Amino acid sequence: MVRTRGQTKKADDPDVETATVVDNKPKPKPRAKPKSKATKDDHAVPEESETNSNVKHFTVPYNDKTIPCERRGEGNAPALIWTHGAGGGLTAPATSQFTDGFSEHSPIVSFQGSMNLPSRTKMFHTVMEHQDFDLALGGRSMGARAATIAAVEQDRKTKALVLVSFPLVGGKKGESREQILLDLPDSIEVLFISGDRDSMCDLEQLREVIERMKAKCWLVTVKGADHGMSWSPAGTVAKMRQKTGAIAAEWLQKRGLDERYYQLSWARDGSAGEMVSTGWVVSLPDTSEITNGDEPQAVQGADVAEDDEPPPAKKRKRGKT
């Protein structure tokens, strides 16, 4: 069978006409374009569609593009606007499991952001403009940094921040990121959720920074958890992350001024065990007493894609000339 040059176009491409081929094979049907992809027409009115009983996907306009967003939970005004870490996304387990736990108690809107910190901060402002919300911002890792900066920059006063795995140190030289926390005004209340084996946030250093902050602070410590909020046994990680989301939602609804510390841990019983918590207490043991050999170990290499720094760009292999 002989074809001309014009007959080499793919028959399954819906945007081009199919070339006539002299044979008896049936022509493949054009593939339907996914309905979920945003187009330029989406900029006028944010499109919203429900994919299951708890998650609604929609977009908001941002410059000449759109910001993918998710809404979880019942209610009109979200209690929290939330974003993921660098290199991760809305579907990253550390992000989605937190929002699942949060949405069991309060509505939450999360958005997919740029891996550039200034751009992510601007996206916070854009999403806030399109949402009637309760003035609470948050995120994990780099997303927590962007939420903190946005809270200071915005005209409307943020009431609260929910900061998970805040990267107190980072960059090539391991510089401190404490200044943006110290710049927060005393009108903002802050909830930190951090693993005691987070390599980017030493717990003793974080508590020292909290003592110097003008903003009122609360701290949830997850014993044995790393920066990606993972621990061992791995089969309990999702439940633990969901629990941290639930704690954050309940904290936004009601928080005491005296009880500012909360600790989650895994109590071993032979090969089994259970997740236990102290509830909100006035103080926790010193950091030297927080970790011992019976507590869960951080999972090596877990959630490396959600570290504070974006993953290095892959080098493209040059084709033969």
Side-chain angles (χ1 to χ4, degrees):
M1 179 177 64
V2 179
R3 299 186 183 183
T4 67
R5 285 182 176 268
Q7 294 171 326
T8 59
K9 294 180 179 178
K10 293 182 180 179
D12 58 351
D13 187 346
D15 295 325
V16 298
E17 294 184 1
T18 306
T20 303
V21 180
V22 185
D23 61 13
N24 295 324
K25 293 182 180 180
K27 299 176 184 177
K29 295 181 179 180
R31 295 176 184 172
K33 294 184 178 179
K35 295 181 180 180
S36 60
K37 287 187 177 180
T39 65
K40 291 184 178 180
D41 294 334
D42 295 329
H43 290 206
V45 180
E47 181 183 357
E48 185 169 312
S49 60
E50 186 170 345
T51 57
N52 59 49
S53 59
N54 193 45
V55 183
K56 293 181 180 179
H57 297 265
F58 63 101
T59 61
V60 297
Y62 178 67
N63 296 333
D64 59 342
K65 301 178 182 178
T66 58
I67 302 174
C69 301
E70 292 181 351
R71 183 193 299 271
R72 283 174 166 82
E74 300 297 329
N76 295 323
L80 177 66
I81 293 180
W82 168 268
T83 190
H84 56 88
L90 294 180
T91 59
T95 298
S96 62
Q97 289 161 1
F98 174 90
T99 53
D100 282 341
F102 189 100
S103 66
E104 290 297 318
H105 301 269
S106 295
I108 179 173
V109 165
S110 51
F111 68 90
Q112 178 75 40
S114 165
M115 300 311 163
N116 176 272
L117 182 61
S119 295
R120 184 78 67 92
T121 304
K122 292 178 182 178
M123 287 180 172
F124 259 115
H125 295 300
T126 301
V127 176
M128 283 188 281
E129 290 172 359
H130 288 81
Q131 296 294 310
D132 178 18
F133 72 110
D134 289 344
L135 299 177
L137 307 179
R140 58 161 279 102
S141 195
M142 191 194 83
R145 293 174 66 198
T148 304
I149 297 171
V152 175
E153 290 180 347
Q154 68 161 321
D155 295 331
R156 290 185 281 179
K157 293 182 179 180
T158 297
K159 295 178 181 177
L161 285 169
V162 177
L163 309 179
V164 177
S165 298
F166 186 91
L168 200 55
V169 296
K172 295 180 179 180
K173 297 182 179 180
E175 64 268 16
S176 171
R177 273 80 173 269
E178 66 179 42
Q179 191 58 49
I180 60 173
L181 298 175
L182 298 175
D183 290 341
L184 289 170
D186 57 9
S187 60
I188 294 180
E189 297 181 329
V190 184
L191 174 65
F192 290 96
I193 301 176
S194 188
D196 69 347
R197 290 181 177 149
D198 187 339
S199 61
M200 302 185 74
C201 185
D202 178 76
L203 195 57
E204 184 175 357
Q205 184 180 358
L206 175 61
R207 294 176 73 169
E208 188 272 333
V209 171
I210 287 174
E211 290 296 321
R212 294 190 287 129
M213 289 174 61
K214 296 186 293 290
K216 301 180 184 70
C217 298
W218 285 252
L219 173 63
V220 176
T221 302
V222 184
K223 296 179 71 176
D226 58 14
H227 186 68
M229 203 54 71
S230 294
W231 68 10
S232 180
T236 66
V237 171
K239 182 178 179 181
M240 175 264 287
R241 289 169 175 166
Q242 290 165 359
K243 178 64 175 177
T244 61
I247 293 171
E250 293 168 348
W251 176 82
L252 282 174
Q253 293 173 355
K254 184 180 180 180
R255 47 193 177 273
L257 293 177
D258 297 324
E259 297 81 16
R260 297 197 184 188
Y261 297 93
Y262 193 116
Q263 186 171 270
L264 278 178
S265 61
W266 185 258
R268 295 185 181 277
D269 180 14
S271 59
E274 62 178 350
M275 186 167 57
V276 296
S277 69
T278 61
W280 287 107
V281 295
V282 175
S283 63
L284 288 176
D286 293 335
T287 53
S288 60
E289 303 175 39
I290 288 176
T291 304
N292 61 62
D294 295 330
E295 295 304 325
Q297 301 295 315
V299 179
Q300 296 296 322
D303 287 300
V304 291
E306 273 220 283
D307 283 344
D308 180 63
E309 301 299 336
K314 295 181 179 179
K315 294 182 179 180
R316 295 183 179 180
K317 295 182 178 180
R318 299 180 67 179
K320 295 181 180 180
T321 57

